[in-house]
Amino acid sequence: MTQPSLAELCILACSEAFRTDREIVATGIGPVPRIAAGLAKLTHSPGLMMTDGEAFLVEDPVPLGAKGEDRPKPAGYLPFSQFFDAAVWSGRRHAMVTPTQIDRFGQTNLSALGGTHRQPKIQMLGVRGFPGNSIYHPNSMFVPVHSTRVFVEGEVDMVSSAGYNPARRRPNGNYSGIDLRQIITNLCVMDFGGTDHAIRVVSLHPGVSFDEVQAATGFALEKGDLTETPLPDADTLAIIDRLDPKGGRAKVLKDNPSAVRSAS
């Protein structure tokens, strides 16, 4: 078997974030999370519900770039308006997104960088659906470039989605809907099992040290058990090929590196 790529390792790790015995809708935003959701559906979590990204539920994941007869036949009608009632507001959805900034307690920013709220230095997408998503259903994140520009010191420049920051909690507030699961990056896998639900590192990708992850993070990280992130086996790689027949995953990480680093 050829050495798996780092993108393929991240796909496997992201698929584990979707692991469930419930019937929920998996939403992966971007190539790696989307392939990962399909991989989860076809392996360990058959009860996951999938959409075609348009207006239908499908029983089989839609491969990247599939058109016409290559797309699975729909299993049911699910227009955008009904998706909120069926999945979002009810908590029956798990989304994996890629924010621009993330802070120690999982608050994210997708809206603006620097400056003031009225006049930021860089205006981006706006908060989109992040505020509602963050309080109604589980969320995980994929970060292709782990750096201090993403994992920022202090708070994010603008809070687009809620996290676990104790300083933001108001007396008698109901924060039970906030359910942040995992963050998968090109260096490691993290969760929110630290003090007050702070981010901690739970596994390191082959050849990566904790010190390297800490150096690329703007806040102090906590340590979990620090296992090594598993490599995808031949069967897993075959499923990934089926879900991404045109190899779009190779373009996600610069130079499409191997999952296992060469000794320096």
Side-chain angles (χ1 to χ4, degrees):
M1 185 181 84
T2 58
Q3 192 71 257
S5 69
L6 181 55
E8 290 163 343
L9 176 144
C10 289
I11 289 168
L12 176 60
C14 289
S15 81
E16 285 296 323
F18 284 113
R19 183 181 285 271
T20 184
D21 57 4
R22 296 180 58 207
E23 189 178 67
I24 64 173
V25 176
T27 302
I29 307 299
V32 166
R34 179 174 163 181
I35 298 167
L39 178 62
K41 167 72 174 180
L42 296 175
T43 55
H44 51 71
S45 300
L48 281 175
M49 296 185 291
M50 313 295 297
T51 74
D52 66 348
E54 295 178 3
F56 294 96
L57 283 169
V58 292
E59 293 181 354
D60 291 318
V62 180
L64 292 187
K67 298 179 180 179
E69 295 182 355
D70 294 332
R71 296 174 67 86
K73 293 182 179 180
Y77 185 49
L78 189 68
F80 194 64
S81 59
Q82 293 182 17
F83 183 74
F84 285 88
D85 292 331
V88 177
W89 309 145
S90 65
R92 296 176 65 189
R93 181 199 196 199
H94 185 166
M96 182 174 288
V97 297
T98 300
T100 303
Q101 291 181 324
I102 306 168
D103 62 30
R104 182 185 173 205
F105 293 104
Q107 296 177 143
T108 71
N109 177 20
L110 191 73
S111 183
L113 295 175
T116 65
H117 178 67
R118 291 183 177 276
Q119 192 171 2
K121 290 183 178 179
I122 299 175
Q123 179 65 53
M124 298 179 294
L125 295 175
V127 298
R128 310 293 289 179
F130 272 34
N133 292 348
S134 68
I135 62 173
Y136 282 110
H137 60 70
N139 292 273
S140 293
M141 306 168 202
F142 171 65
V143 176
V145 181
H146 193 133
S147 74
T148 54
R149 295 181 65 180
V150 177
F151 295 97
V152 297
E153 182 180 7
E155 280 195 305
V156 294
D157 289 350
M158 178 178 177
V159 178
S160 299
S161 66
Y164 295 112
N165 188 353
R168 291 282 185 172
R169 300 300 169 100
R170 297 188 178 186
N172 302 316
N174 181 5
Y175 303 97
S176 61
I178 298 175
D179 185 3
L180 302 181
R181 299 287 177 86
Q182 290 192 338
I183 305 174
I184 293 85
T185 81
N186 61 315
L187 299 179
C188 65
V189 177
M190 302 184 287
D191 69 8
F192 294 86
T195 305
D196 293 326
H197 297 288
I199 292 174
R200 67 174 182 176
V201 181
V202 294
S203 79
L204 299 166
H205 299 343
V208 177
S209 70
F210 178 83
D211 288 344
E212 181 179 358
V213 177
Q214 182 59 80
T217 306
F219 50 84
L221 288 164
E222 299 187 35
K223 294 181 181 180
D225 293 335
L226 291 188
T227 59
E228 184 172 272
T229 311
L231 295 170
D233 61 19
D235 290 339
T236 299
L237 292 174
I239 296 173
I240 291 174
D241 278 336
R242 169 185 162 188
L243 295 170
D244 181 25
K246 298 181 180 180
R249 61 192 181 277
K251 301 177 182 178
V252 174
L253 303 176
K254 184 179 179 180
D255 299 327
N256 192 30
S258 169
V260 179
R261 288 190 178 187
S262 301
S264 57

